[in-house]
Amino acid sequence: EVQLVESGGVVVQPGGSLRLSCAASGFTFDDYTMHWVRQAPGKGLEWVSFITWDGGATYYADSVKGRFTISRDNSKNSLYLQMNSLRAEDTALYFCAKEGYIALSGSGRDSYYYYMDVWGKGTTVTVSS
Amino acid sequence: DIQMTQSPSSLSASVGDRVTITCRASQTINNYLNWYQQKPGKAPKLLIYTASSLQSGVPSRFSGSGSGTDFTLTISSLQPEDFATYYCQQSYNLLSITFGQGTRLEIK
């Protein structure tokens, strides 16, 4: 069974740090780009960050750039999110998600389409004094 | 960033109804559009990718259409388990992925 299980969410004070983990199983972890997506209480989904299969490239939402660092350990089938300088607005349920893709041919070339096809149940981070 | 705007923000409907949710992008995204369903306290679930391709295991009453800036998600005959919140998401700009604000589908 393909599965993602997040952990590490706790209550932390503003300005504090935290590391979230996501354990993957049931698929070849090091074949896929992985994402973090968060959801503040009662709000919609916000993409946070992604990391390519080999960790060679990472990207962040402007709201977390310079404060959060995504990483992975393919030998442990694990994804991480190091969160520093936490703010109240970082309070959210944090999901990890596996990226899927499909290549479609057209006009003499392939186009690649990406989506998030497997999600964990999430881990809750609360930033409060 | 590409802004994704869904309408309506909430919708009341009855079992058996045909329902359509729209999603508009602030610039053309071709068909780089995905739809997700989220039930309270649960993770999002992929329904549709490339604007109109049904994810494996998703019932055929769900369908998607559109290209460019305007997209729709249609549920042909609502079932009790379909009451949830639906999100569109653009994958045209992968370096800044954005979701719509969500459409909450409630039982009338």
Side-chain angles (χ1 to χ4, degrees):
Chain A
E1 179 191 7
V2 176
Q3 194 172 12
L4 297 170
V5 179
E6 302 92 337
S7 61
V10 292
V11 178
V12 60
Q13 291 190 339
S17 296
L18 194 57
R19 189 175 87 150
L20 305 183
S21 300
C22 171
S25 59
F27 64 99
T28 306
F29 181 70
D30 56 11
D31 276 352
Y32 294 96
T33 290
M34 296 294 295
H35 295 258
W36 286 100
V37 176
R38 68 184 181 183
Q39 186 170 37
K43 302 297 184 182
L45 301 171
E46 179 189 15
W47 171 76
V48 172
S49 179
F50 80 76
I51 185 168
T52 53
W53 65 275
D54 61 350
T58 59
Y59 296 93
Y60 301 91
D62 287 344
S63 57
V64 307
K65 200 172 295 181
R67 300 188 298 123
F68 289 11
T69 302
I70 191 171
S71 62
R72 63 192 296 161
D73 185 338
N74 288 343
S75 69
K76 296 182 178 179
N77 288 348
S78 292
L79 175 72
Y80 305 102
L81 187 67
Q82 178 67 42
M83 309 165 68
N84 298 331
S85 303
L86 283 161
R87 306 166 179 167
E89 54 265 34
D90 296 318
T91 294
L93 180 61
Y94 284 75
F95 298 101
C96 65
K98 167 187 166 290
E99 182 177 277
Y101 68 91
I102 187 170
L104 298 178
S105 299
S107 303
R109 63 181 182 90
D110 286 346
S111 295
Y112 288 83
Y113 296 82
Y114 299 91
Y115 42 82
M116 299 178 208
D117 60 352
V118 180
W119 296 66
K121 294 182 178 181
T123 187
T124 299
V125 174
T126 303
V127 183
S128 173
S129 54
Chain B
D1 287 1
I2 300 173
Q3 306 302 317
M4 307 300 293
T5 304
Q6 291 180 230
S7 60
S9 294
S10 64
L11 174 61
S12 294
S14 301
V15 171
D17 284 353
R18 180 183 180 89
V19 166
T20 297
I21 298 168
T22 66
C23 176
R24 174 165 287 177
S26 60
Q27 67 178 74
T28 184
I29 58 170
N30 297 333
N31 59 338
Y32 290 85
L33 190 284
N34 306 314
W35 288 99
Y36 300 86
Q37 175 195 66
Q38 187 181 32
K39 297 181 180 179
K42 301 293 186 181
K45 172 187 174 182
L46 177 67
L47 297 178
I48 302 280
Y49 58 95
T50 67
S52 60
S53 299
L54 198 65
Q55 171 69 343
S56 176
V58 174
S60 59
R61 63 181 179 272
F62 290 91
S63 64
S65 65
S67 185
T69 61
D70 295 318
F71 303 88
T72 60
L73 173 70
T74 299
I75 310 172
S76 61
S77 178
L78 271 175
Q79 298 302 301
E81 60 268 29
D82 300 337
F83 292 95
T85 299
Y86 293 84
Y87 294 93
C88 61
Q89 174 240 320
Q90 64 81 17
S91 58
Y92 182 84
N93 179 1
L94 285 175
L95 305 189
S96 185
I97 292 168
T98 46
F99 291 87
Q101 82 278 15
T103 294
R104 185 176 177 184
L105 179 53
E106 301 174 318
I107 301 174
K108 184 182 287 185

